Amino acid sequence: MSPTKTIIVSVTAAIIFVLVQGQGPIEPNCLGCICEASTQCNVSVGCHTPYAGAYFCGPFLISWAYWADAGKPVIQNDDPNRQGAFENCVNDLYCAAETVRQYMAKFASNGDCNEDGTVDCADFAQMHRLGGYGCRDASLRTSDYYKKFETCWKVVQAAMDHSLTNNNNQS
């Protein structure tokens, strides 16, 4: 990965960390990589209909059903039943990250998507793309989305390992 991409991934993860620090089963760095894999965390992506019946919005490409499953979080003082509340939330980085966090909290107990015996960020990446009810489709792992996620997660893990090594050397 180029130094520029490494910096972008690190900044994305840092932004997500600040937004949802310490909340729920999903680590902020994991949220950052899911956002990066979804749209390169593009907060101006808006909403689009990639195929009939589909409608995805925001930097995490969240559908209305996903948002509803997450409990319909909204921007402060908004009404979840107001037309446009979904779009306002999922196009806002903080509210979108909160939507993903709440979605993962709801489905984490279902969630060993890759059936490796642990529920971790790789499972959350699959759950984000395939849904909490059916995240075990291994073919996702060959998709562009998942390849981008894996690249980001490897950078994050390497940075965390490097940080731990430096901290241990200073002790």
Side-chain angles (χ1 to χ4, degrees):
M1 179 179 271
S2 74
T4 303
K5 274 194 165 188
T6 301
I7 290 168
I8 291 169
V9 168
S10 299
V11 169
T12 299
I15 290 168
I16 298 292
F17 179 77
V18 168
L19 294 176
V20 294
Q21 177 175 323
Q23 300 175 5
I26 185 168
E27 299 173 43
N29 286 331
C30 182
L31 272 172
C33 285
I34 290 170
C35 189
E36 190 68 29
S38 297
T39 65
Q40 296 181 316
C41 225
N42 181 350
V43 295
S44 63
V45 73
C47 298
H48 68 284
T49 305
Y51 52 89
Y55 184 61
F56 300 97
C57 299
F60 288 93
L61 295 178
I62 295 172
S63 69
W64 188 92
Y66 185 114
W67 177 72
D69 278 342
K72 297 184 180 179
V74 293
I75 292 174
Q76 189 172 5
N77 300 321
D78 201 350
D79 176 356
N81 298 313
R82 183 188 63 77
Q83 187 171 352
F86 157 69
E87 290 86 352
N88 283 353
C89 174
V90 299
N91 281 304
D92 174 81
L93 186 58
Y94 176 82
C95 196
E98 181 63 14
T99 300
V100 175
R101 188 194 67 73
Q102 288 185 31
Y103 188 87
M104 297 307 163
K106 178 177 180 175
F107 290 104
S109 61
N110 297 5
D112 186 13
C113 301
N114 59 11
E115 300 178 323
D116 68 352
T118 61
V119 177
D120 58 18
C121 188
D123 298 302
F124 292 133
Q126 283 188 227
M127 201 178 299
H128 178 70
R129 190 61 169 234
L130 298 173
Y133 297 107
C135 64
R136 289 180 173 77
D137 183 353
S139 69
L140 176 71
R141 294 183 213 131
T142 61
S143 70
D144 286 343
Y145 162 81
Y146 200 80
K147 289 175 186 174
K148 289 175 187 174
F149 163 77
E150 277 189 316
T151 299
C152 177
W153 192 239
K154 285 177 185 173
V155 169
V156 167
Q157 295 294 15
M160 290 168 55
D161 290 345
H162 180 73
S163 176
L164 287 174
T165 301
N166 283 346
N167 287 341
N168 288 338
N169 289 339
Q170 292 174 0
S171 298

